[in-house]
Amino acid sequence: MHQHTLGFCFSVLLLLQAVAAHADYGTALTRSILYYEAQRSGKLPPTQRVSWRGDSGLKDGSDVGVDLTGGYYDAGDNVKFGFPMAFTITMLSWSVIEYKSQLLAKGELRNALHAIKWGTDYMIKAHPESDVLYGQVGEGQPDHDCWQRPEDMTTPRTAYKIDAEHPGSDLAGETSAAFAAASIAFKTYKPRYSAQLLSHAKQLFEFARNHQGVYQSTIPAAPFYVSSGFQDELLWAAAWLYRATNEQMYLDYLESADTGGMHPSFCWDNKYAGAHVLMAKLVLEGKLNTNKCAEYKKNAEEFICSVIQKGNNNVQMSGGGLLYWQPWNDIQYVTAAIFVTTVYSDYLKSAKSTLSCPSGEVTPDELIEFVKSQADYILGSNSKNMSYMVGMGSSYPQKVHHRGASIVSIKKDPTPVTCKGGFDSWFNKDAPNPNVLEGALVGGPDASDAYDDSRSNYEQAEPATANTAPFVGVLARLA
């Protein structure tokens, strides 16, 4: 074959690879939103697309006389943990706010809004009075001692709340942020619903401010979702409320509060980087120019510089190039970090600005290139040629640590699965899950890029709603 023909073929191959990668982001976006339907608790709607799931948790809240049906199971278990659920809704809402036009173009905006509303409808029920918020349904340890489909669960469905005498500023603050962000996402499409969400956001912020404490002092979330403090959630909620309302009182709070400095990660427990980025946006737009606001921007940029490996204290990376924080569910930190990097790239571009890192100036396009490297790794461009999103590509985790996915669908076999029987019949079975949990992001590989596809390997093989929520926005931007 002639040299120029070889060159032509190679060019076509590159073009096809680029098109394939482009298409992959779109497919991954569709699946990442579909995943939330598999995590639904409550009475499933006629529009339910994940057909292997059935109704579950239909008596949730009956022990306290409040309807607490609905919402999401947080990961591979059957507990409704309000703290990570609210963060999931905040991040899904932020994804919609920033990338509404891209989601619309891909035909996914309606599905994304449905995913948010499934959470906010539940959160409205969970907030029956201004200073009362139900933050958990189910009990962590008894639930983890059983292996049952949500449709069969026989474990206690105790409802736990915070109130004025038993506060939880972190839980109330994060739920306030979720309501405020969702109110922006729904403003054009459902103005009355948006106003209702904003009212809940305002009440919960006051509750969080006026009755301070960590929620696990009252709600038995330990050891599953223990909060390290609540100052970050108060900042996060205030930043979202200011974005939703433009009311001076929220800016006053942000001006008077401690910015918290630069934090090394962004996740369901640590919102500082998110709050910093929201404030930095206002500085870039020329709307704020105080010393305190400049400090927020500096913190945001230090975090992003460390993520993209151009800071003074960079985030560790695996040998194969994935950002690495810890062995247990590392991907949740990756997706959250690349989401704020993505939105910051767009904020910089709008402001015709660049990012000044200790290692030099970084353009908005260079930020997106880094984001792509991480997204591509997650979707299969890695040494194992394995996608860490279930259902994507030819190779992905088959034995995901997830009760519903690992047990035959109740639609195929309605025989109840008992608490311990589920371990014998399904958990310990050396076979792929009978149901594909499409769009779920598992915890991911270790620092050496190794991954053990085993149902018992919950550190790596368990997906969670907080993993996928930030990735929705990243994929919408890249698709």
Side-chain angles (χ1 to χ4, degrees), residues 385-397:
N385 291 319
M386 183 178 192
S387 165
Y388 293 102
M389 177 179 280
V390 180
M392 275 299 292
S394 55
S395 173
Y396 54 81

Side-chain angles (χ1 to χ4, degrees), residues 2 18 24 37 100 150 157 253 265 302-303 357 375 455:
H2 293 298
D24 260 357
E37 296 193 17
K100 183 166 57 178
R157 299 299 289 170
Y253 179 84
S265 68
E302 277 185 23
F303 174 71
C357 290
R455 214 167 280 120

Side-chain angles (χ1 to χ4, degrees), residues 23-37 49-50 102-103 105-109 111-112 115 389-390 392 438-440 468 471-472 475-476 479:
D24 260 357
Y25 298 136
T27 305
L29 172 65
T30 296
R31 290 187 177 153
S32 67
I33 298 170
L34 183 64
Y35 160 65
Y36 288 94
E37 296 193 17
R49 296 175 295 166
V50 178
Q102 289 93 331
L103 285 161
K106 292 290 170 188
E108 291 298 337
L109 180 59
N111 291 327
M389 177 179 280
V390 180
M392 275 299 292
E438 286 194 279
T468 300
F471 206 43
V472 169
L475 292 168

Side-chain angles (χ1 to χ4, degrees), residues 70-358:
Y72 290 109
Y73 301 117
D74 77 296
D77 52 57
N78 299 329
V79 183
K80 294 194 300 207
F81 290 104
F83 195 41
M85 192 194 305
F87 177 70
T88 295
I89 298 305
T90 311
M91 295 309 295
L92 281 174
S93 299
W94 197 358
S95 297
V96 166
I97 291 163
E98 300 292 348
Y99 301 113
K100 183 166 57 178
S101 61
Q102 289 93 331
L103 285 161
L104 187 61
K106 292 290 170 188
E108 291 298 337
L109 180 59
R110 182 189 292 268
N111 291 327
L113 288 169
H114 282 322
I116 295 167
K117 194 170 184 289
W118 195 265
T120 50
D121 282 353
Y122 168 77
M123 285 164 21
I124 288 169
K125 296 178 184 179
H127 184 223
E129 300 168 47
S130 57
D131 289 359
V132 174
L133 177 63
Y134 285 90
Q136 187 172 314
V137 179
E139 297 180 18
Q141 203 50 58
D143 178 88
H144 283 65
D145 290 341
C146 290
W147 197 263
Q148 294 172 289
R149 299 176 288 216
E151 296 86 357
D152 287 330
M153 59 186 163
T154 54
T155 46
R157 299 299 289 170
T158 317
Y160 295 97
K161 69 178 179 181
I162 53 171
D163 56 30
E165 287 73 44
H166 312 90
S169 304
D170 31 27
L171 175 64
E174 180 56 69
T175 311
S176 169
F179 275 130
S183 78
I184 302 170
F186 279 107
K187 195 166 188 177
T188 313
Y189 307 100
K190 288 182 176 287
R192 285 178 62 183
Y193 189 64
S194 170
Q196 184 186 10
L197 297 176
L198 191 54
S199 172
H200 282 281
K202 289 178 172 182
Q203 286 181 8
L204 283 167
F205 181 67
E206 291 310 310
F207 175 28
R209 277 184 75 176
N210 297 335
H211 305 282
Q212 298 196 353
V214 289
Y215 86 112
Q216 66 260 19
S217 300
T218 303
I219 294 179
F224 307 101
Y225 289 101
V226 176
S227 168
S228 56
F230 56 78
Q231 298 300 341
D232 54 328
E233 279 82 21
L234 290 175
L235 280 186
W236 179 232
W240 275 115
L241 278 159
Y242 184 63
R243 185 155 175 181
T245 67
N246 263 333
E247 289 175 19
Q248 187 64 34
M249 62 176 286
Y250 301 114
L251 184 56
D252 290 344
Y253 179 84
L254 290 154
E255 285 278 10
S256 63
D258 184 342
T259 66
M262 196 279 270
H263 278 248
S265 68
F266 175 46
C267 64
W268 60 265
D269 179 40
N270 191 332
K271 321 297 162 44
Y272 280 112
H276 296 160
V277 165
L278 289 174
M279 294 300 287
K281 175 181 189 283
L282 298 169
V283 177
L284 285 167
E285 291 170 348
K287 293 175 181 172
L288 302 176
N289 61 1
T290 63
N291 289 339
K292 178 60 69 77
C293 292
E295 194 182 324
Y296 281 114
K297 181 172 180 281
K298 176 175 169 287
N299 294 338
E301 295 191 338
E302 277 185 23
F303 174 71
I304 292 167
C305 289
S306 75
V307 166
I308 63 167
Q309 308 297 295
K310 292 185 181 295
N312 288 324
N313 189 17
N314 293 335
V315 175
Q316 186 183 340
M317 291 191 96
S318 73
L322 185 70
L323 289 164
Y324 185 79
W325 276 267
Q326 63 169 46
W328 193 333
N329 194 3
D330 182 59
I331 273 180
Q332 66 176 317
Y333 302 99
V334 181
T335 57
I338 63 174
F339 176 85
V340 292
T341 304
T342 302
V343 298
Y344 206 64
S345 162
D346 293 334
Y347 298 164
L348 287 169
K349 199 160 220 172
S350 295
K352 296 183 170 54
S353 187
T354 55
L355 176 64
S356 296
C357 290

